[in-house]
């Protein structure tokens, strides 16, 4: 009986060992390569520089100017917000500028309509968004609506637009793409 019991234990141990056999390690992911030429002034790979290419002060200035232009609207004359983007095409590559197309429908909404009726123009305040972890240049834009006499239109909150501008590697002074996200903060008692 001891031999039968020992044989059963041995078979159970072998069966369990077969269930816990190691699976082969997964194949490593392929390595991506680029055909872009290496620059002689490449920064060492540090956490700050490893993920995103270094931007220049000139690119930051161009991005700030583009954001300022793109958030300056006169709804009495501009049918859409895209008209401001059209005014910033000189800062873009030809390919990116060609993709700025005015939508068929005009801009609407209470704020846009009120600004058009009051002949108000947006007055943007732009700044670098140093908290963004994004390739390119991140810019934060806010604006208020000013009547021709300089008085501000009342509003329910503060609009904020977060831009990201990337630059053409072959012409680093031209924007090759941009994106933005709009947010509105709640109004404070003084607004």
């Amino acid at each position: 009986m001891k031999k039968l019991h020992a044989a059963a234990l041995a078979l159970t141990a072998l069966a369990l060992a077969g269930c816990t056999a190691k699976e082969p390690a997964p194949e490593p992911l392929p390595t991506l390569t680029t055909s872009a030429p290496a620059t002689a002034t490449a920064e060492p790979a540090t956490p700050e520089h490893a993920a995103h290419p270094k931007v220049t002060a000139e690119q930051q200035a161009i991005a700030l100017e583009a954001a300022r232009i793109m958030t300056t609207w006169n709804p009495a004359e501009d049918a859409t917000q895209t008209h401001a983007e059209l005014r910033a095409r000189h800062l873009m590559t030809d390919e990116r500028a060609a993709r700025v197309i005015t939508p068929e429908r005009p801009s609407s909404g209470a704020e846009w309509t009120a600004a058009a009726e009051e002949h108000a123009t947006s007055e943007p305040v732009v700044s670098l968004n140093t908290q963004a972890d994004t390739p390119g240049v991140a810019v934060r834009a806010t604006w208020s609506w000013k009547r021709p006499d300089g008085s501000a239109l009342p509003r329910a909150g503060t609009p904020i637009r977060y831009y990201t501008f990337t630059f053409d590697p072959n012409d680093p002074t031209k924007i090759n793409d941009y994106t933005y996200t709009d947010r509105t903060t709640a109004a404070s008692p003084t607004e």
Side-chain angles (χ1 to χ4, degrees):
M1 184 76 176
K2 282 185 173 180
K3 287 185 182 181
L4 188 57
H5 183 53
L9 283 175
L11 285 173
T12 305
L14 284 173
L16 289 175
C19 291
T20 60
K22 287 187 176 179
E23 293 183 26
E27 293 292 321
L29 294 173
T31 303
L32 298 176
T33 60
T34 179
S35 61
T39 60
T41 59
E43 298 264 342
T46 62
E48 180 183 345
H49 297 354
H52 307 301
K54 184 166 175 59
V55 298
T56 65
E58 183 178 22
Q59 289 171 331
Q60 290 174 334
I62 292 167
L64 288 168
E65 178 64 4
R68 186 192 64 73
I69 293 169
M70 291 179 179
T71 53
T72 302
W73 304 288
N74 182 344
E77 296 175 13
D78 296 336
T80 69
Q81 291 184 2
T82 307
H83 280 94
E85 292 175 48
L86 292 169
R87 291 190 288 270
R89 288 182 298 182
H90 67 284
L91 300 172
M92 303 174 197
T93 62
D94 292 340
E95 295 80 17
R96 183 59 182 105
R99 293 192 339 246
V100 180
I101 300 170
T102 304
E104 291 181 23
R105 293 181 55 195
S107 293
S108 60
E111 187 175 297
W112 189 267
T113 302
E117 290 171 355
E118 297 282 341
H119 296 279
T121 301
S122 63
E123 286 191 4
V125 175
V126 297
S127 61
L128 294 174
N129 183 0
T130 59
Q131 301 303 310
D133 181 23
T134 184
V137 181
V139 175
R140 180 182 188 270
T142 62
W143 59 90
S144 57
W145 292 99
K146 300 289 180 150
R147 295 179 183 98
D149 66 4
S151 63
L153 292 180
R155 60 182 181 200
T158 302
I160 303 170
R161 181 168 281 185
Y162 295 99
Y163 285 98
T164 300
F165 296 94
T166 57
F167 289 82
D168 187 329
N170 297 319
D171 187 354
T173 63
K174 293 291 185 179
I175 296 167
N176 72 346
D177 204 7
Y178 63 91
T179 60
Y180 60 84
T181 303
D182 288 328
R183 302 272 190 265
T184 300
T185 62
S188 66
T190 59
E191 288 187 298

